[in-house]
Amino acid sequence: MNYKFTIIVPVYNEEDNLERVEKELLAYTKIASLPTKILFVNDGSKDSSQQLIEDICNRNAAFNYILFEANRGLSAAIKAGFDYADTELVGYIDSDLQTAPEDFNLLLKHIDTYDLVTGVRADRKDSFVKNMSSKIANGIRRAFTKDGMDDTGCPLKVIKTEYAKRIPMFKGLHRFLPAMILLQNGKVTQIPVRHFPRIAGTAKFGLWNRLLGPLMDCFAYLWMKKKYINYTVSKQG
């Protein structure tokens, strides 16, 4: 099949979720607005996630995987997905499925006009502490980056692959994807998507990851913005 869209699924110790991930993503491939394939990125899971991923890929032609030899974090998993993607569009969704794969179709409606389309979680089903720390972190990041995005932590995004592959990722930078597209003079927008409570597995982020870590990452972003190289080739011989 001539696939047009790759969905990256970062995985770290999600054995309790993967059966549902297979079911929901397989169902989505049948209603997707573009021919779609799935790329699991196993971030060095220590449970049975890898065996489950291989079983899923063996019985579904549109599913594939890469496995890290050790845990490297969410940003590294997303970056590897960008590196290995061979379709014109790439997106990602968390393996906890707190967002719905079907909502990719809402984002894909706008990708002809924009270079990144991100979801913004409406009516979030998280705890008060998680919601407030996320809201504060987003406010701090927005003040630093001026990207105008309300919820860059939303794990539902679609990006033109040519832009995604030019993002110089480092740990924590997955929160700055819209800002990194803007550095390339690309266009970004956000679209409301549904949000659901986690029903299996364990959350990988605490207060440090959601609030204090992102504050430190803002300074890393400012350094990168100052040093960022961007060019356009006008002619080639």
Side-chain angles (χ1 to χ4, degrees):
M1 183 178 293
N2 186 21
Y3 294 108
K4 302 293 185 182
F5 180 40
T6 299
I7 298 175
I8 300 163
V9 186
V11 176
Y12 182 62
N13 294 343
E14 292 286 0
E15 60 184 4
D16 294 331
N17 275 313
L18 287 171
E19 182 178 343
R20 189 164 65 98
V21 169
E22 175 189 16
K23 179 180 178 182
E24 295 204 18
L25 285 175
L26 183 61
Y28 173 69
T29 62
K30 298 176 181 178
I31 63 165
S33 52
L34 292 172
T36 299
K37 60 180 178 178
I38 315 301
L39 177 62
F40 289 108
V41 182
N42 187 349
D43 185 20
S45 295
K46 296 177 174 62
D47 62 1
S48 62
S49 291
Q50 181 58 26
Q51 185 58 58
L52 292 169
I53 288 170
E54 292 186 29
D55 291 343
I56 291 169
C57 294
N58 285 337
R59 58 179 173 256
N60 296 289
F63 288 65
N64 207 340
Y65 72 87
I66 57 177
L67 168 65
F68 285 1
E69 63 180 9
N71 177 243
R72 289 292 179 262
L74 180 58
S75 290
I78 293 171
K79 174 66 164 63
F82 292 167
D83 290 343
Y84 279 79
D86 58 2
T87 53
E88 60 192 63
L89 297 174
V90 64
Y92 79 87
I93 188 170
D94 278 354
S95 49
D96 60 15
L97 288 183
Q98 287 192 257
T99 49
E102 310 93 82
D103 286 350
F104 273 119
N105 283 350
L106 299 176
L107 307 188
L108 287 167
K109 288 179 181 179
H110 303 273
I111 198 61
D112 287 342
T113 305
Y114 296 92
D115 304 300
L116 176 147
V117 184
T118 182
V120 54
R121 291 167 286 192
D123 190 23
R124 287 185 63 172
K125 307 299 183 182
D126 290 322
S127 67
F128 174 79
V129 172
K130 185 174 181 180
N131 281 334
M132 286 305 298
S133 60
S134 180
K135 186 174 182 179
I136 293 169
N138 272 300
I140 294 170
R141 175 204 43 74
R142 194 163 52 245
F144 274 80
T145 65
K146 312 297 184 185
D147 62 8
M149 300 289 104
D150 297 316
D151 184 18
T152 59
C154 179
L156 202 72
K157 290 178 173 63
V158 176
I159 312 173
K160 289 177 180 172
T161 305
E162 61 179 306
Y163 283 83
K165 287 183 180 293
R166 291 198 296 262
I167 296 173
M169 295 281 283
F170 59 82
K171 189 174 182 179
L173 201 63
H174 62 273
R175 303 178 183 93
F176 295 82
L177 292 178
M180 297 307 297
I181 300 301
L182 291 174
L183 281 183
Q184 300 180 45
N185 297 321
K187 295 189 293 182
V188 303
T189 192
Q190 57 186 2
I191 302 297
V193 297
R194 293 170 292 169
H195 189 245
F196 306 92
R198 175 186 271 270
I199 64 173
T202 304
K204 309 303 187 295
F205 296 94
L207 181 61
W208 169 261
N209 305 90
R210 296 194 198 99
L211 191 54
L212 301 179
L215 176 59
M216 295 177 64
D217 293 339
C218 284
F219 292 101
Y221 167 77
L222 289 181
W223 176 88
M224 177 167 287
K225 181 178 181 180
K226 184 177 180 180
K227 302 291 185 179
Y228 186 74
I229 295 172
N230 190 34
Y231 65 88
T232 301
V233 175
S234 63
K235 190 174 184 181
Q236 180 177 356

